[in-house]
Amino acid sequence: MISAGSPEAPVLVRREWCKGCGICIAMCPKKVLEAAPDGKAVVARPDDCTRCETCEIMCPDFAVRVVAKRAAAPAGRREAVADGR
Amino acid sequence: MAKSIDEYLRTQFMPHIWCPGCGHGIVLNALLRAVARLDLPKDQVCVVSGIGCASRAPGYLDFNTLHTTHGRAIAFATGIKLANPDLHVIVVTGDGDGAAIGGNHLIHAARRNMGVTTVMFNNSIYGMTNGQYSPLTPSGMFAATAPYGNVERNFDMCELVRASGANYVARATVAQARQLSTYIERAIENPGFAFVEAVGSCPTYFGRRNKLGSSLQMLETLKKNSVTAAAAAKLDPAELRGKIIIGEFYRGDAPGYIELYDGVIERAKEAAGK
Amino acid sequence: MAGKCDVRARLLQGNESCAEAALLAGVRFFAGYPITPSSEIAEILSARLPQLGGKFIQMEDEIASMAAVIGASLAGMKAMTATSGPGFSLKQENLGFASFTEVPCVIVNVQRTGPSTGLPTSPGQGDLMQARWGTHGDHPVVALYPSSVAETFDLTVKAVNIAETLRVPVILLMDEVVAHMRERVIVPCADEIEIAWRPRPTVAPSDYLPYDAGPDGVPAMADFGTGYRWHVTGLYHDITGFPTSAPAKVDHLVRRLEGKIANHRRDITFTWDEHMDDAKVAVVACGIVARSARRAVRLARGKGIAAGVFQPKTIWPFPYEQIAEIAARVDRIIVPEMNMGQLIGEVQRAACGKCEVIGHFRVDGEPITPEEILARLEEV
């Protein structure tokens, strides 16, 4: 059920879950993703992926996964926060 | 390294019922990443919801899950937490479910400082019933039941819940998904009643009727309209019109109901022994 | 009080009897909202539950109380609430949720004269039908109805047991008069009464199907937090617990829910009667009116009238078979009740024209006296 640009692709898109909203495509800072003719996301430029995970975090459908994560964060480290305090 | 959130999904029911581009998925994703970072055992997590679009979330989650009646999730959650204080009880509610029909339960759970985490998925509209205005629909916006514009004022949920006595109160929009996830994580960790308002978007009903563009454009608007609490403090009311103030508004450690009731049990046993 | 328990006679108020019986039956959670004439139950349990390590909470409203009770039951505690007419109305939606999701709980409704705020707090018996059909949709429910303080004790224990074994909300309908009067009760020891628990799963969590019932129609129930992660929803659901709208599954569920009560009908039907063997006229009455009926029948016998009295202690499911059998051998059934005719409809349904059925309705907030019933028995 998982499709990707290549077997080594750092980003996977589950086509069955993707509803083609285009958020991941627009939010990717490196334009790794593109829309297929049906609007669903496909991995077009896997080599450009910096594994920032924005696509995965912003996907409303749980359809995008960054499979090769960056090195593990140190224990207790939070996600980046700018909470204005 | 944190677990994959796939582990928390009942994947057999995916894709979920939410519309393309619905902000609810982003909020749920943030919630699951918070659970993953906290590494909570699935058996010890209980997710409770009411009725509405947001309240369909528990069905997709591999925890102890309870999809209750409209507005009543927090009251059900209260019973669960009292009966088994070891459970991490998380309420998922919408703005109609939690601020209108369930508003009374929300303020009283906050007043009691009941050990429940509530995440309000605020999409400014009743989505499940096709777009009527809610107590969080901003004034002047259009809805299925506000064809001439909403004349009601919307609640500031965070102020309301803070004033009611909650131990943790924060707000972020889905345009700040990382920040949102951190707030939910802290909310779960914080003892007593914790509340996170997650401002999202309903592109189907709220967006279309108010000509707010695609889900992507709505995300951009949320981002543009977000103002941190610190920045907001320097703005006057006119400048704040239409803005969404984000941030952690309160973190406290007042004793919660659960621990206070432990004291009641002690005193009662003592009295019975006399 | 550790050590040997002595069976002892105590002078208890009806509400007190209910509270003490609930504790003996294992109730450890109560959520409620103040309302006369049931408040003593909450007051007593607020003191007694924490002594036993249980939990009491006064919620913000009646709806929340019912919700908290269901939540506590799902997390493994025997749970109950108590209310009166207006509060019973407010609880109905969540009561339906408990019935549909099969969460054991007990709801005490100390009736007062309705409708609306009515006569606070004079007795009335206007909630019989609400107990059966107060919430929307077809749903199973059980209702028990004591006529004395001692019966309140006994039926409260039974209510808890039935709620657990059949996984159904059980309503204890009480009359204000019974709730507030004091009578002698022989309080049993915990080891002298049967105490039931919900059926537990015997399979591993991975094989658990939360709504897969055996032949008796009652599925096994796992408590939240014990490793069985299941889904509870007020939507139609299949044996997995997850929502479905498949017509065959919808049909199966609603029929199973009705069927599980029908399957256990004999075990949960409690009645009392006197002088029925040779009776030509029967009085069918419940609650405090059954007490007046008993007295009336004894007086009538003294006057040579072949009268008998039959008291359904289980109101729902209604004892249709027993009433039908009575209707077949008496000339007349008199149904005195403190409403405009609720019990009588079921009696007529059961009698099915086999005898005359006459109602005697009193709706002025005063209990029906034995003399009133005697007067009806003397009419031929």
Short mmCIF file of all heavy atoms in Angstrom, two decimals, chain A residues 14 16-17 19 21-23 26-27 52-54 56-62 65 69 72 78-85, chain B residues 1 5-6 11 14-16 18 21-22 25-26 28-29 33 37 174 177-179 182-183 185-186 189 216 219 228 230 247-248:
data_model
loop_
_atom_site.label_atom_id
_atom_site.label_comp_id
_atom_site.label_asym_id
_atom_site.label_seq_id
_atom_site.Cartn_x
_atom_site.Cartn_y
_atom_site.Cartn_z
N ARG A 14 1.27 7.03 1.48
CA ARG A 14 0.24 5.97 1.36
C ARG A 14 -0.87 6.52 0.47
O ARG A 14 -1.67 7.35 0.91
CB ARG A 14 -0.34 5.65 2.73
CG ARG A 14 0.58 4.98 3.73
CD ARG A 14 -0.24 4.88 5.01
NE ARG A 14 0.35 4.04 6.02
CZ ARG A 14 1.03 4.51 7.07
NH1 ARG A 14 1.24 5.81 7.19
NH2 ARG A 14 1.49 3.69 7.99
N GLU A 16 -3.54 5.20 -0.52
CA GLU A 16 -4.90 4.86 -0.06
C GLU A 16 -5.41 5.84 1.00
O GLU A 16 -6.61 5.97 1.19
CB GLU A 16 -4.95 3.44 0.50
CG GLU A 16 -4.71 2.35 -0.52
CD GLU A 16 -3.24 2.16 -0.90
OE1 GLU A 16 -2.38 2.88 -0.33
OE2 GLU A 16 -2.97 1.32 -1.77
N TRP A 17 -4.50 6.45 1.72
CA TRP A 17 -4.93 7.38 2.78
C TRP A 17 -4.91 8.83 2.30
O TRP A 17 -5.57 9.68 2.88
CB TRP A 17 -4.01 7.26 4.00
CG TRP A 17 -4.05 5.93 4.69
CD1 TRP A 17 -4.66 4.79 4.25
CD2 TRP A 17 -3.45 5.61 5.95
NE1 TRP A 17 -4.47 3.77 5.15
CE2 TRP A 17 -3.72 4.23 6.21
CE3 TRP A 17 -2.69 6.32 6.87
CZ2 TRP A 17 -3.28 3.58 7.36
CZ3 TRP A 17 -2.25 5.67 8.01
CH2 TRP A 17 -2.55 4.31 8.26
N LYS A 19 -5.68 12.16 0.50
CA LYS A 19 -6.90 12.71 -0.11
C LYS A 19 -6.58 13.85 -1.07
O LYS A 19 -7.49 14.56 -1.53
CB LYS A 19 -7.86 13.17 0.99
CG LYS A 19 -8.42 12.00 1.80
CD LYS A 19 -9.27 12.47 2.99
CE LYS A 19 -9.69 11.28 3.83
NZ LYS A 19 -9.99 11.67 5.22
N CYS A 21 -5.01 16.82 -0.66
CA CYS A 21 -5.24 18.22 -0.27
C CYS A 21 -4.09 19.13 -0.71
O CYS A 21 -4.26 20.34 -0.80
CB CYS A 21 -5.44 18.33 1.24
SG CYS A 21 -3.97 17.98 2.24
N GLY A 22 -2.92 18.54 -0.92
CA GLY A 22 -1.80 19.33 -1.42
C GLY A 22 -0.99 20.05 -0.36
O GLY A 22 -0.03 20.77 -0.66
N ILE A 23 -1.34 19.87 0.91
CA ILE A 23 -0.63 20.59 1.98
C ILE A 23 0.84 20.18 2.03
O ILE A 23 1.74 21.03 2.10
CB ILE A 23 -1.33 20.38 3.34
CG1 ILE A 23 -2.67 21.12 3.37
CG2 ILE A 23 -0.44 20.84 4.51
CD1 ILE A 23 -3.52 20.89 4.61
N ALA A 26 2.85 21.73 -0.82
CA ALA A 26 3.10 23.16 -0.67
C ALA A 26 4.05 23.48 0.48
O ALA A 26 4.81 24.45 0.42
CB ALA A 26 1.77 23.90 -0.46
N MET A 27 4.00 22.68 1.52
CA MET A 27 4.79 23.00 2.71
C MET A 27 6.23 22.52 2.64
O MET A 27 7.07 22.98 3.41
CB MET A 27 4.13 22.39 3.97
CG MET A 27 2.70 22.84 4.21
SD MET A 27 2.61 24.55 4.71
CE MET A 27 2.34 24.38 6.44
N CYS A 52 13.09 16.98 7.23
CA CYS A 52 12.61 17.94 8.23
C CYS A 52 11.28 17.50 8.83
O CYS A 52 10.85 18.02 9.84
CB CYS A 52 12.47 19.33 7.63
SG CYS A 52 11.09 19.52 6.46
N GLU A 53 10.61 16.58 8.15
CA GLU A 53 9.35 15.97 8.62
C GLU A 53 8.14 16.90 8.56
O GLU A 53 7.06 16.56 9.08
CB GLU A 53 9.49 15.41 10.05
CG GLU A 53 10.50 14.28 10.12
CD GLU A 53 10.65 13.71 11.54
OE1 GLU A 53 9.63 13.62 12.25
OE2 GLU A 53 11.79 13.36 11.90
N THR A 54 8.30 18.06 7.96
CA THR A 54 7.15 18.97 7.86
C THR A 54 5.97 18.30 7.15
O THR A 54 4.82 18.42 7.56
CB THR A 54 7.56 20.26 7.12
OG1 THR A 54 8.62 20.86 7.85
CG2 THR A 54 6.39 21.23 7.01
N GLU A 56 5.18 15.17 7.01
CA GLU A 56 4.55 14.16 7.87
C GLU A 56 3.69 14.83 8.96
O GLU A 56 2.57 14.41 9.24
CB GLU A 56 5.63 13.29 8.52
CG GLU A 56 5.07 12.27 9.49
CD GLU A 56 6.14 11.32 10.04
OE1 GLU A 56 7.08 10.99 9.30
OE2 GLU A 56 6.01 10.93 11.20
N ILE A 57 4.25 15.89 9.52
CA ILE A 57 3.56 16.57 10.62
C ILE A 57 2.32 17.31 10.12
O ILE A 57 1.31 17.38 10.82
CB ILE A 57 4.56 17.53 11.31
CG1 ILE A 57 5.53 16.70 12.16
CG2 ILE A 57 3.85 18.59 12.14
CD1 ILE A 57 6.75 17.48 12.61
N MET A 58 2.39 17.83 8.92
CA MET A 58 1.28 18.64 8.40
C MET A 58 0.24 17.83 7.62
O MET A 58 -0.80 18.37 7.26
CB MET A 58 1.82 19.76 7.51
CG MET A 58 2.68 20.78 8.24
SD MET A 58 1.85 21.52 9.68
CE MET A 58 0.53 22.43 8.87
N CYS A 59 0.51 16.58 7.37
CA CYS A 59 -0.45 15.81 6.60
C CYS A 59 -1.68 15.51 7.45
O CYS A 59 -1.58 14.85 8.49
CB CYS A 59 0.15 14.49 6.12
SG CYS A 59 -1.10 13.43 5.34
N PRO A 60 -2.87 15.97 7.04
CA PRO A 60 -4.06 15.72 7.85
C PRO A 60 -4.54 14.26 7.78
O PRO A 60 -5.43 13.88 8.51
CB PRO A 60 -5.12 16.64 7.23
CG PRO A 60 -4.42 17.49 6.24
CD PRO A 60 -3.17 16.77 5.85
N ASP A 61 -3.95 13.50 6.89
CA ASP A 61 -4.46 12.15 6.64
C ASP A 61 -3.49 11.04 7.06
O ASP A 61 -3.73 9.88 6.72
CB ASP A 61 -4.79 12.02 5.14
CG ASP A 61 -5.91 12.97 4.75
OD1 ASP A 61 -6.97 12.86 5.38
OD2 ASP A 61 -5.70 13.83 3.87
N PHE A 62 -2.45 11.38 7.75
CA PHE A 62 -1.46 10.39 8.21
C PHE A 62 -0.86 9.62 7.04
O PHE A 62 -0.42 8.49 7.18
CB PHE A 62 -2.09 9.40 9.21
CG PHE A 62 -2.61 10.07 10.46
CD1 PHE A 62 -3.91 10.54 10.54
CD2 PHE A 62 -1.78 10.24 11.55
CE1 PHE A 62 -4.38 11.16 11.67
CE2 PHE A 62 -2.24 10.87 12.71
CZ PHE A 62 -3.55 11.32 12.77
N ARG A 65 4.96 9.68 5.43
CA ARG A 65 5.89 9.26 6.47
C ARG A 65 7.31 9.50 6.01
O ARG A 65 7.67 9.11 4.88
CB ARG A 65 5.75 7.76 6.76
CG ARG A 65 4.52 7.38 7.54
CD ARG A 65 4.64 7.81 9.00
NE ARG A 65 3.43 7.46 9.73
CZ ARG A 65 2.34 8.22 9.75
NH1 ARG A 65 2.32 9.38 9.11
NH2 ARG A 65 1.28 7.84 10.41
N LYS A 69 14.45 8.77 9.53
CA LYS A 69 14.44 9.99 10.35
C LYS A 69 15.87 10.50 10.53
O LYS A 69 16.84 9.76 10.37
CB LYS A 69 13.83 9.71 11.72
CG LYS A 69 12.46 9.04 11.66
CD LYS A 69 11.33 10.03 11.56
CE LYS A 69 10.01 9.29 11.49
NZ LYS A 69 8.85 10.13 11.35
N ALA A 72 18.45 10.36 16.18
CA ALA A 72 17.53 10.49 17.30
C ALA A 72 17.84 11.72 18.13
O ALA A 72 19.00 12.04 18.39
CB ALA A 72 17.62 9.25 18.19
N ARG A 78 12.46 18.49 23.42
CA ARG A 78 11.12 18.79 22.91
C ARG A 78 11.18 19.10 21.42
O ARG A 78 12.23 19.43 20.89
CB ARG A 78 10.54 20.02 23.61
CG ARG A 78 10.61 19.98 25.09
CD ARG A 78 9.63 18.95 25.61
NE ARG A 78 9.57 19.05 27.06
CZ ARG A 78 9.07 18.10 27.81
NH1 ARG A 78 8.60 17.01 27.26
NH2 ARG A 78 9.02 18.24 29.10
N GLU A 79 10.02 19.07 20.81
CA GLU A 79 9.93 19.62 19.48
C GLU A 79 10.15 21.13 19.60
O GLU A 79 9.92 21.73 20.66
CB GLU A 79 8.55 19.34 18.89
CG GLU A 79 8.36 17.85 18.63
CD GLU A 79 7.17 17.58 17.72
OE1 GLU A 79 6.63 18.52 17.13
OE2 GLU A 79 6.81 16.41 17.61
N ALA A 80 10.62 21.73 18.52
CA ALA A 80 10.94 23.15 18.56
C ALA A 80 9.72 23.96 18.98
O ALA A 80 8.63 23.75 18.51
CB ALA A 80 11.40 23.60 17.19
N VAL A 81 9.95 24.85 19.89
CA VAL A 81 8.84 25.65 20.38
C VAL A 81 9.23 27.11 20.42
O VAL A 81 10.30 27.48 20.87
CB VAL A 81 8.45 25.21 21.81
CG1 VAL A 81 7.44 26.19 22.40
CG2 VAL A 81 7.86 23.83 21.78
N ALA A 82 8.37 27.93 19.87
CA ALA A 82 8.53 29.37 20.07
C ALA A 82 7.20 29.81 20.64
O ALA A 82 6.28 30.13 19.92
CB ALA A 82 8.81 30.06 18.75
N ASP A 83 7.11 29.71 21.93
CA ASP A 83 5.79 29.92 22.52
C ASP A 83 5.56 31.36 22.98
O ASP A 83 4.57 31.68 23.60
CB ASP A 83 5.53 28.94 23.66
CG ASP A 83 6.48 29.11 24.82
OD1 ASP A 83 7.25 30.09 24.80
OD2 ASP A 83 6.47 28.28 25.72
N GLY A 84 6.51 32.20 22.68
CA GLY A 84 6.26 33.60 22.94
C GLY A 84 6.31 33.99 24.40
O GLY A 84 5.74 35.01 24.78
N ARG A 85 6.94 33.19 25.21
CA ARG A 85 6.98 33.57 26.62
C ARG A 85 8.36 34.07 27.00
O ARG A 85 9.35 33.71 26.38
CB ARG A 85 6.60 32.38 27.51
CG ARG A 85 5.17 31.98 27.33
CD ARG A 85 4.70 31.12 28.47
NE ARG A 85 5.71 30.10 28.78
CZ ARG A 85 5.89 29.57 29.96
NH1 ARG A 85 5.15 29.98 30.96
NH2 ARG A 85 6.78 28.64 30.17
N MET B 1 14.75 7.07 20.63
CA MET B 1 13.95 7.68 19.56
C MET B 1 12.47 7.41 19.77
O MET B 1 12.07 6.33 20.18
CB MET B 1 14.39 7.08 18.22
CG MET B 1 13.74 7.76 17.04
SD MET B 1 14.57 7.29 15.51
CE MET B 1 13.31 7.71 14.34
N ILE B 5 4.01 7.02 15.14
CA ILE B 5 2.61 7.17 15.53
C ILE B 5 1.72 6.13 14.87
O ILE B 5 0.58 5.94 15.28
CB ILE B 5 2.07 8.59 15.23
CG1 ILE B 5 2.18 8.91 13.74
CG2 ILE B 5 2.79 9.63 16.08
CD1 ILE B 5 1.44 10.19 13.37
N ASP B 6 2.26 5.44 13.87
CA ASP B 6 1.47 4.36 13.24
C ASP B 6 1.00 3.34 14.27
O ASP B 6 -0.04 2.74 14.15
CB ASP B 6 2.30 3.64 12.18
CG ASP B 6 2.44 4.49 10.92
OD1 ASP B 6 1.94 5.63 10.94
OD2 ASP B 6 3.05 4.01 9.95
N THR B 11 -5.20 1.12 11.94
CA THR B 11 -5.00 1.41 10.52
C THR B 11 -6.06 0.77 9.62
O THR B 11 -6.29 1.24 8.51
CB THR B 11 -3.61 0.91 10.07
OG1 THR B 11 -3.48 -0.47 10.44
CG2 THR B 11 -2.50 1.70 10.72
N MET B 14 -8.48 3.31 8.34
CA MET B 14 -8.03 4.45 7.56
C MET B 14 -8.33 4.19 6.08
O MET B 14 -8.38 3.04 5.67
CB MET B 14 -6.53 4.66 7.78
CG MET B 14 -6.16 4.92 9.24
SD MET B 14 -6.72 6.53 9.81
CE MET B 14 -5.44 7.58 9.12
N PRO B 15 -8.53 5.21 5.27
CA PRO B 15 -8.45 6.63 5.61
C PRO B 15 -9.62 7.06 6.49
O PRO B 15 -10.69 6.47 6.43
CB PRO B 15 -8.51 7.32 4.24
CG PRO B 15 -9.26 6.37 3.37
CD PRO B 15 -8.87 5.00 3.85
N HIS B 16 -9.39 8.10 7.29
CA HIS B 16 -10.43 8.57 8.19
C HIS B 16 -11.53 9.33 7.44
O HIS B 16 -11.41 9.58 6.25
CB HIS B 16 -9.81 9.40 9.32
CG HIS B 16 -8.99 10.57 8.85
ND1 HIS B 16 -9.48 11.55 8.04
CD2 HIS B 16 -7.69 10.91 9.10
CE1 HIS B 16 -8.55 12.45 7.82
NE2 HIS B 16 -7.44 12.07 8.43
N TRP B 18 -12.55 12.40 7.79
CA TRP B 18 -12.46 13.86 7.65
C TRP B 18 -12.20 14.27 6.20
O TRP B 18 -11.55 13.55 5.43
CB TRP B 18 -11.39 14.40 8.59
CG TRP B 18 -11.74 14.20 10.04
CD1 TRP B 18 -12.98 14.26 10.59
CD2 TRP B 18 -10.83 13.89 11.12
NE1 TRP B 18 -12.91 14.02 11.94
CE2 TRP B 18 -11.61 13.79 12.30
CE3 TRP B 18 -9.46 13.70 11.21
CZ2 TRP B 18 -11.06 13.50 13.55
CZ3 TRP B 18 -8.91 13.41 12.44
CH2 TRP B 18 -9.70 13.32 13.61
N GLY B 21 -7.90 18.01 3.55
CA GLY B 21 -7.39 19.28 4.07
C GLY B 21 -7.95 19.69 5.42
O GLY B 21 -7.61 20.77 5.93
N CYS B 22 -8.75 18.86 6.03
CA CYS B 22 -9.33 19.19 7.34
C CYS B 22 -8.24 19.30 8.39
O CYS B 22 -7.37 18.43 8.51
CB CYS B 22 -10.32 18.10 7.75
SG CYS B 22 -10.94 18.28 9.44
N GLY B 25 -7.06 16.40 11.25
CA GLY B 25 -6.01 15.39 11.10
C GLY B 25 -4.67 15.89 11.61
O GLY B 25 -3.88 15.14 12.19
N ILE B 26 -4.44 17.18 11.41
CA ILE B 26 -3.16 17.76 11.86
C ILE B 26 -3.13 17.79 13.40
O ILE B 26 -2.11 17.50 14.01
CB ILE B 26 -2.97 19.17 11.26
CG1 ILE B 26 -3.05 19.12 9.73
CG2 ILE B 26 -1.64 19.77 11.72
CD1 ILE B 26 -3.00 20.48 9.04
N LEU B 28 -4.81 15.76 15.43
CA LEU B 28 -4.71 14.38 15.92
C LEU B 28 -3.27 13.87 15.78
O LEU B 28 -2.74 13.20 16.66
CB LEU B 28 -5.69 13.47 15.18
CG LEU B 28 -5.78 12.04 15.72
CD1 LEU B 28 -6.25 12.05 17.18
CD2 LEU B 28 -6.72 11.20 14.87
N ASN B 29 -2.67 14.22 14.67
CA ASN B 29 -1.27 13.87 14.42
C ASN B 29 -0.39 14.46 15.53
O ASN B 29 0.45 13.76 16.12
CB ASN B 29 -0.89 14.44 13.04
CG ASN B 29 0.44 13.95 12.53
OD1 ASN B 29 1.37 13.73 13.29
ND2 ASN B 29 0.56 13.79 11.21
N ARG B 33 1.85 12.37 18.31
CA ARG B 33 3.30 12.58 18.46
C ARG B 33 3.63 12.91 19.93
O ARG B 33 4.67 12.50 20.44
CB ARG B 33 3.79 13.68 17.52
CG ARG B 33 3.96 13.16 16.08
CD ARG B 33 4.51 14.21 15.13
NE ARG B 33 3.48 15.16 14.76
CZ ARG B 33 3.51 16.46 15.05
NH1 ARG B 33 4.53 16.96 15.72
NH2 ARG B 33 2.52 17.24 14.70
N ARG B 37 6.17 10.75 22.22
CA ARG B 37 7.33 11.30 22.92
C ARG B 37 7.28 10.97 24.40
O ARG B 37 8.29 10.71 25.04
CB ARG B 37 7.41 12.82 22.72
CG ARG B 37 7.89 13.22 21.34
CD ARG B 37 8.26 14.70 21.28
NE ARG B 37 7.18 15.57 21.71
CZ ARG B 37 6.16 15.93 20.92
NH1 ARG B 37 6.07 15.48 19.69
NH2 ARG B 37 5.22 16.73 21.37
N VAL B 174 -3.11 24.96 13.86
CA VAL B 174 -2.50 23.85 13.12
C VAL B 174 -1.35 24.33 12.24
O VAL B 174 -0.55 23.53 11.77
CB VAL B 174 -3.54 23.08 12.27
CG1 VAL B 174 -4.49 22.32 13.17
CG2 VAL B 174 -4.29 24.00 11.33
N ALA B 177 2.08 23.30 14.07
CA ALA B 177 1.80 21.92 14.49
C ALA B 177 2.82 21.39 15.49
O ALA B 177 2.47 20.61 16.38
CB ALA B 177 1.73 21.01 13.27
N ARG B 178 4.06 21.80 15.36
CA ARG B 178 5.09 21.32 16.30
C ARG B 178 4.83 21.88 17.70
O ARG B 178 4.89 21.18 18.70
CB ARG B 178 6.48 21.72 15.83
CG ARG B 178 6.99 20.90 14.67
CD ARG B 178 8.45 21.21 14.38
NE ARG B 178 9.06 20.20 13.54
CZ ARG B 178 9.06 20.24 12.21
NH1 ARG B 178 8.48 21.24 11.58
NH2 ARG B 178 9.63 19.27 11.53
N GLN B 179 4.55 23.18 17.70
CA GLN B 179 4.26 23.85 18.96
C GLN B 179 3.01 23.26 19.61
O GLN B 179 2.97 23.00 20.81
CB GLN B 179 4.03 25.33 18.63
CG GLN B 179 3.91 26.25 19.79
CD GLN B 179 3.89 27.69 19.29
OE1 GLN B 179 4.29 28.00 18.16
NE2 GLN B 179 3.43 28.60 20.13
N THR B 182 3.79 20.05 21.28
CA THR B 182 4.51 20.27 22.55
C THR B 182 3.54 20.67 23.65
O THR B 182 3.63 20.20 24.79
CB THR B 182 5.59 21.35 22.38
OG1 THR B 182 6.47 20.93 21.35
CG2 THR B 182 6.36 21.57 23.66
N TYR B 183 2.60 21.54 23.31
CA TYR B 183 1.61 21.95 24.31
C TYR B 183 0.79 20.74 24.79
O TYR B 183 0.51 20.60 25.98
CB TYR B 183 0.67 23.00 23.74
CG TYR B 183 1.31 24.35 23.49
CD1 TYR B 183 0.68 25.31 22.70
CD2 TYR B 183 2.53 24.69 24.07
CE1 TYR B 183 1.24 26.54 22.47
CE2 TYR B 183 3.12 25.92 23.83
CZ TYR B 183 2.47 26.85 23.03
OH TYR B 183 3.03 28.07 22.80
N GLU B 185 1.71 17.67 24.78
CA GLU B 185 2.61 16.85 25.61
C GLU B 185 2.68 17.40 27.04
O GLU B 185 2.53 16.65 28.02
CB GLU B 185 4.00 16.84 24.97
CG GLU B 185 5.03 16.03 25.74
CD GLU B 185 6.43 16.13 25.13
OE1 GLU B 185 6.55 16.67 24.01
OE2 GLU B 185 7.38 15.67 25.77
N ARG B 186 2.87 18.71 27.15
CA ARG B 186 2.95 19.31 28.48
C ARG B 186 1.61 19.20 29.21
O ARG B 186 1.57 19.04 30.42
CB ARG B 186 3.35 20.79 28.37
CG ARG B 186 4.80 20.95 27.95
CD ARG B 186 5.14 22.42 27.84
NE ARG B 186 6.49 22.59 27.30
CZ ARG B 186 6.95 23.74 26.83
NH1 ARG B 186 6.18 24.82 26.83
NH2 ARG B 186 8.18 23.82 26.36
N GLU B 189 1.34 15.81 30.67
CA GLU B 189 2.27 15.66 31.81
C GLU B 189 1.81 16.44 33.03
O GLU B 189 2.12 16.07 34.16
CB GLU B 189 3.65 16.22 31.42
CG GLU B 189 4.50 15.29 30.61
CD GLU B 189 5.87 15.91 30.38
OE1 GLU B 189 5.93 17.07 29.90
OE2 GLU B 189 6.85 15.24 30.70
N LEU B 216 -5.14 24.88 2.06
CA LEU B 216 -3.80 25.43 2.14
C LEU B 216 -3.83 26.94 2.41
O LEU B 216 -3.10 27.45 3.26
CB LEU B 216 -3.08 25.15 0.81
CG LEU B 216 -1.60 25.40 0.79
CD1 LEU B 216 -0.89 24.53 1.81
CD2 LEU B 216 -1.06 25.11 -0.62
N LEU B 219 -4.68 27.51 5.95
CA LEU B 219 -3.51 27.31 6.81
C LEU B 219 -2.64 28.56 6.83
O LEU B 219 -2.18 29.01 7.88
CB LEU B 219 -2.67 26.15 6.27
CG LEU B 219 -2.77 24.79 6.91
CD1 LEU B 219 -1.88 23.80 6.16
CD2 LEU B 219 -2.37 24.84 8.38
N THR B 228 1.84 35.76 19.05
CA THR B 228 2.22 35.16 20.32
C THR B 228 1.68 36.02 21.46
O THR B 228 1.43 37.22 21.30
CB THR B 228 3.76 35.07 20.47
OG1 THR B 228 4.28 36.39 20.46
CG2 THR B 228 4.37 34.24 19.36
N ALA B 230 3.17 37.14 23.96
CA ALA B 230 4.08 38.25 24.27
C ALA B 230 3.87 39.41 23.31
O ALA B 230 3.79 40.57 23.72
CB ALA B 230 5.52 37.76 24.22
N GLY B 247 0.05 30.49 22.49
CA GLY B 247 1.05 30.40 23.55
C GLY B 247 0.54 29.61 24.73
O GLY B 247 -0.59 29.11 24.73
N GLU B 248 1.42 29.49 25.70
CA GLU B 248 1.03 28.87 26.96
C GLU B 248 0.56 29.98 27.87
O GLU B 248 1.31 30.90 28.17
CB GLU B 248 2.22 28.16 27.61
CG GLU B 248 2.45 26.77 27.08
CD GLU B 248 3.62 26.10 27.79
OE1 GLU B 248 4.59 26.79 28.12
OE2 GLU B 248 3.55 24.88 27.99
#
